[in-house]
Amino acid sequence: MKQIDLSELGLGQRQVHWNLTTPLLYEETIRHQQGWLGQDGQLIVNTGKFTGRSPNDKFFIDEPGCHDLVDWGKVNKPLASEKFEGLWKRVQAYLKDRELFVLDCYAGADPDYRLPFRVITEDAWHNLFAKTMFIEGTPEELETHVPEYTVVNVPNFHADPAIDGTASSTFILVNFARKLILIGGTSYAGEIKKSIFTLLNYLLPQKGVLGMHCSANVGQDGTCALFFGLSGTGKTTLSADPERPLIGDDEHGWSDNGIFNFEGGCYAKMIRLSRSAEPEIWAAAHSFGTVLENVVFDPETRALDLDSEELTENTRAAYPISLLSNVVSEGRGPHPKQIILLTADAFGVLPPVARLTPEQAMYHFLSGYTAKLAGTERGVTEPQATFSTCFGAPFMVLHPTVYANLLGERIQRHDVTCWLVNTGWTGGQYGVGNRMPIAHTRALVHAILDGQLDGVDYKTDPIFGVAVPQSAPGVPASVLNPRESWADKAAYDQQAQKLAKLFAANFKQFEAKVGPAILQAGPKVGVTV
């Protein structure tokens, strides 16, 4: 216990649990009956009815300092300052006589852009989640730690939409003027992680730094690769390569200094995780210090059932990146030489790998097409085609072209080769075809990073305009050309045109903001194969 002054937050000067060690946070979680000890020393928790993010419940406080910067719309919704203040006063009253767990930590491995912040939670395990996911300071650094922002997490407090102006009793409120983020009405810990990512995507571009929803690793030759993609497309799986040290699995910045991880942990999906296919992640998920969300287990032996989706498809493990054996400990890397845009194509018409021009890379980055996979968000029970700008629309606060222009400038300046990799369906659309074998995807990624696709023949896809390699180690030629993998070629043509039209309709929102070269880099509607 440490005496810590929270009076600036209106919480008074009181005793709180401040920067507890992992074992002590375990003890507090179990003492409060908020979690269970797993067979291998994990902490297992249940997040209740919220097993994914609640994007419709996130609001930004509309105030003069951010009003002209935020890209207001369906994703970035405004809330009046007076509504925030009213809700905040009730949260303060709610916390008056409760135990609090306080963590001081950092986001951003690059010291030039590192953000010190504080996480205050009413549940011990949420504090452990934050301790696991973010960057811990040294004891000396923590003595002088001054948080620039504070996250207050109160899952058991519920808003009143009629009074507070929220969409429901759940709320994620970001107040740039107050430098305060309030999260309530949900126990899903991913809201803490993504609120900080959202914050960095607001702050860093104003300093000329690109925030990215991507994983990153480094080859034996020192070259860096980035993997963009939404949840479930393979960012974590494909970047965890025994031959390439991992910088990070989810969120990074790209500054003039190079690439840097925002976090100090990983947040991997556990459903049907295979020990043989993903040994590094499997081992981390079976280690002390890992927080398992909504993973089914035997109540007596505490052995895990990773195949069960009884609670949710979106089972998760939060673990320190140090549990992986092959990582870049400093969380930083050079400017990338390869960028891979991952998509899970539910239509089954995109090639498993294609080389992109810089203009095509910007087009697909702005489009952010994939299939939204079951469980990642509430209400999603099967894959749905979706477009998520910058492969992370819920977390991009500024106009999408701000991020796209930063990306395009860096691609040109550092001579980066860009690729589109489809980890989705082949041989037919979802429900007809099959999911792309992970072995094929791994082989294609290795071929990209090892330069084995540099000298092969390419064919331009007549609809999507991308350059498709006609041979690749370990992958049949019929798989490389998706139309050939379909038994019904007419059905393929119909689905390809359907997807091309969806791309074109989605991209209309950017027509006034991008140049003609990017506009012409998209799929060709009406082309006959």
Side-chain angles (χ1 to χ4, degrees):
M1 301 287 284
K2 177 185 174 76
Q3 200 76 11
I4 184 170
D5 188 359
L6 300 178
S7 58
E8 287 189 2
L9 291 172
L11 299 177
Q13 188 170 356
R14 52 182 293 164
Q15 282 194 328
V16 299
H17 299 281
W18 182 78
N19 285 348
L20 292 188
T21 63
T22 296
L24 287 177
L25 287 169
Y26 264 58
E27 289 182 5
E28 292 295 329
T29 299
I30 294 171
R31 180 170 72 86
H32 288 86
Q33 299 182 329
Q34 296 168 350
W36 302 266
L37 187 65
Q39 186 181 63
D40 300 290
Q42 316 95 318
L43 186 65
I44 307 173
V45 297
N46 188 322
T47 65
K49 71 173 184 177
F50 292 94
T51 58
R53 291 182 297 101
S54 300
N56 293 332
D57 294 309
K58 185 173 74 174
F59 293 85
F60 295 89
I61 310 311
D62 190 2
E63 42 82 21
C66 74
H67 180 79
D68 293 332
L69 292 173
V70 175
D71 181 36
W72 303 107
K74 292 182 179 180
V75 172
N76 301 322
K77 301 182 293 295
L79 187 72
S81 295
E82 55 268 25
K83 294 292 186 182
F84 177 89
E85 295 301 333
L87 179 58
W88 176 223
K89 286 180 180 178
R90 299 210 320 279
V91 170
Q92 290 169 321
Y94 169 81
L95 292 176
K96 181 179 179 182
D97 299 316
R98 295 178 183 270
E99 279 187 281
L100 293 180
F101 298 86
V102 177
L103 174 74
D104 288 338
C105 54
Y106 299 89
D110 186 335
D112 289 343
Y113 300 102
R114 188 170 72 162
L115 176 74
F117 67 100
R118 173 170 287 167
V119 181
I120 301 175
T121 66
E122 63 171 321
D123 291 345
W125 80 263
H126 284 111
N127 219 253
L128 177 59
F129 174 89
K131 182 182 180 70
T132 299
M133 289 308 307
F134 299 112
I135 299 172
E136 293 190 76
T138 64
E140 294 75 21
E141 288 173 329
L142 290 177
E143 285 299 320
T144 58
H145 184 283
V146 178
E148 291 185 22
Y149 278 79
T150 300
V151 179
V152 178
N153 181 264
V154 284
N156 299 310
F157 179 92
H158 298 274
D160 183 340
I163 297 174
D164 301 313
T166 55
S168 73
S169 61
T170 300
F171 55 93
I172 302 96
L173 308 181
V174 182
N175 192 327
F176 296 119
R178 281 280 217 144
K179 297 190 173 182
L180 183 62
I181 298 172
L182 299 185
I183 301 171
T186 172
S187 287
Y188 184 65
E191 299 288 11
I192 302 174
K193 166 185 162 68
K194 290 305 185 185
S195 68
I196 293 298
F197 183 44
T198 300
L199 174 62
L200 292 172
N201 283 326
Y202 173 77
L203 297 174
L204 291 180
Q206 298 180 61
K207 301 178 181 180
V209 178
L210 173 62
M212 303 176 294
H213 189 206
C214 72
S215 56
N217 62 24
V218 179
Q220 300 300 320
D221 59 356
T223 59
C224 178
L226 304 182
F227 300 77
F228 283 88
L230 297 177
S231 176
T233 55
K235 291 193 316 300
T236 298
T237 297
L238 295 172
S239 57
D241 188 325
E243 298 178 6
R244 297 178 62 87
L246 182 71
I247 299 174
D249 81 324
D250 195 37
E251 301 169 3
H252 292 81
W254 189 352
S255 73
D256 289 341
N257 301 331
I259 300 300
F260 63 99
N261 193 358
F262 285 167
E263 301 178 315
C266 300
Y267 196 38
K269 293 193 75 170
M270 289 291 99
I271 194 69
R272 292 177 287 278
L273 182 73
S274 166
R275 186 175 191 174
S276 59
E278 300 177 87
E280 285 270 283
I281 299 173
W282 194 95
H286 291 75
S287 300
F288 176 80
T290 292
V291 180
L292 297 177
E293 287 184 327
N294 304 311
V295 173
V296 174
F297 62 96
D298 186 294
E300 294 194 13
T301 67
R302 305 295 173 90
L304 308 181
D305 182 358
L306 297 182
D307 293 328
S308 176
E309 53 186 73
E310 177 183 341
L311 299 176
T312 178
E313 176 89 7
N314 191 36
T315 54
R316 291 276 181 169
Y319 52 86
I321 196 171
S322 58
L323 286 179
L324 302 179
S325 62
N326 192 29
V327 298
V328 180
S329 58
E330 62 270 23
R332 302 172 64 186
H335 299 289
K337 288 300 179 185
Q338 308 280 357
I339 289 178
I340 296 173
L341 306 181
L342 299 168
T343 181
D345 174 30
F347 291 87
V349 295
L350 289 178
V353 63
R355 191 174 59 197
L356 306 176
T357 65
E359 293 76 18
Q360 288 173 333
M362 291 181 68
Y363 183 97
H364 283 276
F365 178 72
L366 281 168
S367 298
Y369 166 70
T370 191
K372 190 180 293 182
L373 301 184
T376 302
E377 293 180 6
R378 289 189 296 137
V380 179
T381 58
E382 65 180 29
Q384 299 175 357
T386 188
F387 293 90
S388 185
T389 301
C390 307
F391 292 98
F395 323 117
M396 303 299 163
V397 188
L398 311 177
H399 193 276
T401 54
V402 172
Y403 307 102
N405 289 337
L406 284 169
L407 178 69
E409 183 272 331
R410 281 159 171 71
I411 288 172
Q412 295 285 1
R413 192 200 317 175
H414 300 289
D415 192 25
V416 184
T417 304
C418 301
W419 306 82
L420 183 68
V421 170
N422 174 23
T423 63
W425 280 259
T426 183
Q429 64 178 331
Y430 170 75
V432 178
N434 300 306
R435 192 73 189 262
M436 193 75 65
I438 185 64
H440 288 168
T441 302
R442 285 192 187 279
L444 291 171
V445 169
H446 287 158
I448 288 171
L449 300 179
D450 294 342
Q452 297 180 71
L453 298 183
D454 292 349
V456 303
D457 292 332
Y458 283 81
K459 180 180 178 181
T460 300
D461 186 288
I463 295 176
F464 298 102
V466 295
V468 181
Q470 297 304 288
S471 61
V475 181
S478 59
V479 174
L480 295 174
N481 296 280
R483 191 172 189 268
E484 298 304 312
S485 68
W486 283 54
D488 187 340
K489 301 297 189 288
Y492 169 88
D493 297 340
Q494 181 181 16
Q495 289 301 311
Q497 276 300 311
K498 181 178 180 180
L499 181 57
K501 291 176 182 178
L502 288 173
F503 265 103
N506 173 73
F507 210 79
K508 285 185 179 297
Q509 62 184 303
F510 305 120
E511 287 182 350
K513 294 280 189 176
V514 301
I518 296 175
L519 281 176
Q520 295 166 11
K524 307 298 186 290
V525 176
V527 171
T528 302
V529 177

